[in-house]
Amino acid sequence: MKALRLIGRLAVGITLIIAVSGALLLSDWARRSQGQASGPRLAIVQLASQAVLDDGVRGMLTGLEESGFIPGKNLLIQRYNAENDLPTANAIAKEVVERGFDLVLTASTVSLQTVGKANETRRMKHVFGLVTDPVAAGIGISRDNPLDHPAHVAGYGTFQPVEKAFRLARELFPELHTVGVVWNPAEPNSEASTKQARLIAKELGITLAEAVVDNSSGVFEAASSLVARGVQAIWVGGDVTVMVAFEALVTAARDGRIPVFTNMPPQAERGALFDVGANYFEVGRLTGLLGAQALRGLDLSTVPIRNMVPERLVINQSVLNGLRDFWTLPSQVLARADTVIDEQGVKHERAAAVATTAVPPGRIYKIGLGYFAPEAGVESTIKGLVDGLREAGFDRDGNLDIRAMHAQGEIANLVPIMQSLDADGLDLIVPMTTPALTAASTSLKHTPGVFVYVYDPIAAGVGRSFTDHLPLITGVGSFPPLEDTIEVLRQLVPGVRSVGTLYNSSEANSRKVVSVARDLFAARGIGLEEVSVTNTSEVYQAASVLMSRGIQALWVTGDNTALQGFEGIAKVAQDHKIPLIINDPEFTDRGALAAVGIGFYHSGRAAARLAARVLRGEDPRTIPLENVAVKEVRLNREVASDLGIAIPAAVEAMLETSTYESVSSSH
């Protein structure tokens, strides 16, 4: 017997050595596999291969890419996974800190904990996400002051809405009086959510039966013990140990003919009756966006630690079959769900018809649009906004009244316009164009706003980040695809070394885009000649000045002043036989050679989603800003012919596959 115990201990030791060695070998392979890629070095550390954490890490990568950090191109990434083994997690944390990455992103409370403690002295930049209670991790984050945390650490807590889960369970089964939970006391996240469950269970008169485990292999036995104790349902909070063995827990519940409900979407896809919790892909994306800001030099000590729960409800109707008790799924509950899995197992995302049922009847909703001046991009955006609102249940022919005001191309007129709309008793104001958003940021005092047709909302003054913004305003930014623009320009003008641009330096959008473009052009050995204007009457002269500087091409981004004088720019370019490249597809047929820009119709539809949420009563301060860019590449073949430019195959390929959707943070 002693020999068997010795062999068992040796086996455990060998297993841990193999696990740690595997993790380190995998990280070394990842480093080699990225070849000659350059850029900052990033580590991503997760605790286990589990759906929620995998979704979150995918979101992190998406947020990084949408911020311009492309793995293998301008970012070196090494990923680590402890596979839910604490000794391996500690070894990984030590390895990451010793390698001195520029940034580490962690997914899960335990990963925050292990990396946070290993990093106390090294103080490498560390951004965390997918953490129930950051304070409980014990790395020095204050519960009372969001800015009281280690200066090199920042991120988002995502405390699951435990109370909502229990209240919904009672709504589906009013006779519910006993709920079981399996949890691992070694996980601070699980302890925090279990404490919350005890409180709400007590309030609702529900007995919470608990079974503890210290590893995933014990989950089935623990769940079976709860079934034997007569629980009517099993609840799962943010316990990673349990999530790794979730199928085993569901099997035990099915054996007892009772449902499982969770705070961890998308477990309904794995057999739970419902999940009410966070969209963990979105939490990961926001974490990736914050990580990108850290890579660009953001001081993490200035970032408050906030609770971020972009809520998601997933329901699996097929679970009702065979339950011993009479659980129901009322239509009003199904209408609230983001995802419904029907009795045949087919998944349905929330449809427009479902969203429409949430609009109270018998009321007219009043919306005010305020923008710089009429032009094609604004018209496309408004069409997308109106179409999206109609699909959400707000129709101009029924319950929606839209009024519009523009500044006639004069920035000074925008503040009075916004003040007038704010005093008009509207339900919502939609600032369109960056100058309009800048005016709204200082003028809106009573009416919520959802902006759109804006390049960079942060530069416009709407907030410090996509989650830390003005309480009355949320919305959709659409930063132009500058790298693609420059690539198209280089393809159409081979050997280009000098490009000219003109813009109004009073427009925050233009200042930001030009500042980003300046560096991108320089990195490719292209000089950017700049001339600023203050009003539309100066546009033609500014374009003429650029021609005198020997430029080989002219590039104009979405500057509102420049677009109002676009015909003058196009005429100067035509007279001097200079290619004109723009970022506004709607202007291509007015004299530009090519446009690499944004389909603002799609931005308008995205803004409609947020507008509908605000019109239904959601607080704008809780809705993160979004960046939605549907890239469009357009070519004016007549201008190309006039300039004697043959269209390269690479540009033709872009034209064939020019429209795709991405969601990202502001640059």
Side-chain angles (χ1 to χ4, degrees):
M1 187 62 70
K2 289 183 178 179
L4 288 175
R5 284 198 296 268
L6 177 60
I7 291 171
R9 287 195 293 270
L10 287 172
V12 171
I14 291 169
T15 300
L16 291 179
I17 291 170
I18 291 172
V20 174
S21 300
L24 301 186
L25 285 171
L26 180 61
S27 72
D28 189 56
W29 173 86
R31 182 178 66 254
R32 294 196 308 271
S33 70
Q34 296 189 71
Q36 301 302 312
S38 61
R41 297 169 59 242
L42 168 71
I44 297 180
V45 179
Q46 72 182 90
L47 178 62
S49 297
Q50 188 273 321
V52 168
L53 299 182
D54 290 344
D55 278 355
V57 171
R58 283 195 305 105
M60 290 178 181
L61 293 170
T62 298
L64 289 164
E65 291 192 17
E66 290 167 352
S67 299
F69 289 102
I70 312 299
K73 182 178 179 183
N74 61 354
L75 181 67
L76 295 167
I77 290 184
Q78 293 186 34
R79 292 179 60 175
Y80 298 83
N81 188 331
E83 296 299 356
N84 205 38
D85 183 81
L86 187 57
T88 304
N90 282 312
I92 286 173
K94 182 179 178 182
E95 148 92 358
V96 168
V97 172
E98 287 178 350
R99 290 201 173 189
F101 290 88
D102 296 293
L103 175 70
V104 56
L105 298 180
T106 57
S108 79
T109 301
V110 173
S111 296
L112 166 62
Q113 207 169 28
T114 54
V115 173
K117 290 182 178 178
N119 192 33
E120 284 178 338
T121 303
R122 176 67 172 75
R123 300 176 70 80
M124 179 173 54
K125 280 190 173 183
H126 177 179
V127 173
F128 63 85
L130 288 84
V131 171
T132 298
D133 184 2
V135 176
I139 66 164
I141 297 172
S142 169
R143 194 174 300 282
D144 301 321
N145 181 358
L147 285 170
D148 184 3
H149 57 82
H152 59 288
V153 179
Y156 301 112
T158 305
F159 202 102
Q160 294 93 353
V162 177
E163 179 179 343
K164 287 188 178 181
F166 275 77
R167 292 192 186 281
L168 180 55
R170 173 61 67 78
E171 184 178 353
L172 304 186
F173 180 44
E175 303 304 315
L176 182 66
H177 57 78
T178 307
V179 173
V181 57
V182 180
W183 67 290
N184 184 352
E187 294 189 31
N189 51 308
S190 189
E191 181 180 13
S193 57
T194 302
K195 286 180 177 178
Q196 189 69 25
R198 291 170 186 157
L199 293 175
I200 184 59
K202 183 178 180 180
E203 178 186 333
L204 296 176
I206 294 173
T207 298
L208 187 67
E210 302 180 27
V212 299
V213 294
D214 57 11
N215 58 64
S216 298
S217 63
V219 169
F220 177 79
E221 183 179 350
S224 297
S225 73
L226 291 172
V227 172
R229 290 160 62 181
V231 299
Q232 297 165 293
I234 295 177
W235 162 76
V236 179
D239 193 294
V240 176
T241 301
V242 174
M243 300 308 295
V244 169
F246 187 75
E247 283 78 5
L249 182 139
V250 169
T251 298
R254 283 176 178 164
D255 290 345
R257 299 172 59 205
I258 63 172
V260 175
F261 65 96
T262 89
N263 282 118
M264 303 289 282
Q267 306 316 310
E269 297 177 16
R270 301 169 69 191
L273 174 61
F274 71 83
D275 313 305
V276 56
N279 181 331
Y280 285 97
F281 175 85
E282 181 63 16
V283 173
R285 190 179 76 87
L286 294 172
T287 305
L289 297 179
L290 180 57
Q293 291 179 284
L295 288 173
R296 287 197 171 94
L298 174 67
D299 182 354
L300 294 181
S301 68
T302 66
V303 179
I305 306 297
R306 298 186 182 277
N307 192 55
M308 186 60 58
V309 188
E311 199 166 295
R312 183 182 179 195
L313 172 61
V314 184
I315 293 173
N316 189 338
Q317 291 178 295
S318 67
V319 174
L320 290 180
N321 299 325
L323 295 182
R324 75 183 187 206
D325 296 317
F326 186 64
W327 291 70
T328 62
L329 288 168
S331 59
Q332 66 267 25
V333 173
L334 292 172
R336 300 202 304 261
D338 298 277
T339 303
V340 175
I341 301 167
D342 66 23
E343 294 180 355
Q344 286 72 45
V346 178
K347 184 166 64 174
H348 305 272
E349 301 298 335
R350 179 185 292 179
V354 174
T356 301
T357 64
V359 181
R363 178 182 169 188
I364 302 297
Y365 292 84
K366 299 178 181 179
I367 294 179
L369 309 182
Y371 52 98
F372 184 72
E375 43 99 346
V378 169
E379 292 172 5
S380 293
T381 307
I382 293 175
K383 187 176 188 311
L385 178 73
V386 171
D387 287 351
L389 284 170
R390 182 174 59 252
E391 291 180 3
F394 300 92
D395 194 338
R396 296 180 88 165
D397 293 330
N399 62 351
L400 185 63
D401 176 18
I402 298 180
R403 59 193 67 176
M405 300 178 70
H406 65 79
Q408 299 178 332
E410 295 292 337
I411 290 178
N413 292 338
L414 284 166
V415 168
I417 284 175
M418 290 300 160
Q419 290 174 337
S420 173
L421 291 172
D422 191 43
D424 239 6
L426 303 174
D427 296 294
L428 180 71
I429 295 172
V430 181
M432 302 169 63
T433 68
T434 298
L437 177 57
T438 299
S441 297
T442 59
S443 302
L444 299 192
K445 306 298 182 184
H446 311 290
T447 312
V450 173
F451 63 81
V452 67
Y453 199 58
V454 169
Y455 275 174
D456 186 348
I458 304 304
V462 80
R464 295 173 56 185
S465 73
F466 273 37
T467 54
D468 182 10
H469 56 77
L470 294 175
L472 268 181
I473 300 177
T474 187
V476 172
S478 300
F479 202 87
L482 293 181
E483 291 191 354
D484 289 330
T485 303
I486 296 172
E487 181 56 29
V488 167
L489 194 155
R490 293 174 70 190
Q491 290 284 340
L492 293 172
V493 190
V496 62
R497 286 290 175 266
S498 180
V499 173
T501 191
L502 62 95
Y503 63 99
N504 186 341
S505 58
S506 297
E507 294 189 30
N509 54 314
S510 303
R511 290 197 308 270
K512 182 59 181 286
V513 173
V514 172
S515 71
V516 173
R518 195 179 294 134
D519 293 338
L520 292 175
F521 276 114
R524 292 160 176 79
I526 302 172
L528 184 63
E529 294 288 338
E530 304 171 27
V531 174
S532 63
V533 297
T534 59
N535 56 59
T536 304
S537 65
E538 299 175 3
V539 169
Y540 180 86
Q541 182 63 33
S544 300
V545 169
L546 286 169
M547 297 302 140
S548 69
R549 296 184 183 179
I551 62 172
Q552 298 163 281
L554 184 60
W555 162 64
V556 177
T557 190
D559 182 274
N560 291 283
T561 304
L563 292 179
Q564 289 300 303
F566 188 79
E567 277 68 22
I569 299 172
K571 185 177 189 311
V572 171
Q574 181 182 21
D575 291 346
H576 289 79
K577 297 294 184 182
I578 290 291
L580 170 59
I581 311 296
I582 61 176
N583 287 131
D584 290 82
E586 292 84 1
F587 286 77
T588 313
D589 60 358
R590 294 165 67 176
L593 169 62
V596 185
I598 296 159
F600 278 108
Y601 172 83
H602 303 281
S603 299
R605 288 178 67 92
R609 286 191 291 102
L610 304 189
R613 291 168 64 180
V614 173
L615 289 173
R616 293 191 187 100
E618 196 166 339
D619 189 343
R621 80 179 68 214
T622 66
I623 303 176
L625 312 183
E626 295 183 7
N627 192 83
V628 175
V630 178
K631 189 180 76 171
E632 289 189 8
V633 180
R634 294 189 188 178
L635 182 71
N636 190 324
R637 296 185 186 275
E638 184 178 343
V639 171
S641 177
D642 290 343
L643 295 174
I645 293 177
I647 309 304
V651 174
E652 293 285 7
M654 286 187 183
L655 291 169
E656 292 175 5
T657 59
S658 68
T659 300
Y660 64 86
E661 186 167 359
S662 64
V663 182
S664 66
S665 76
S666 169
H667 287 255

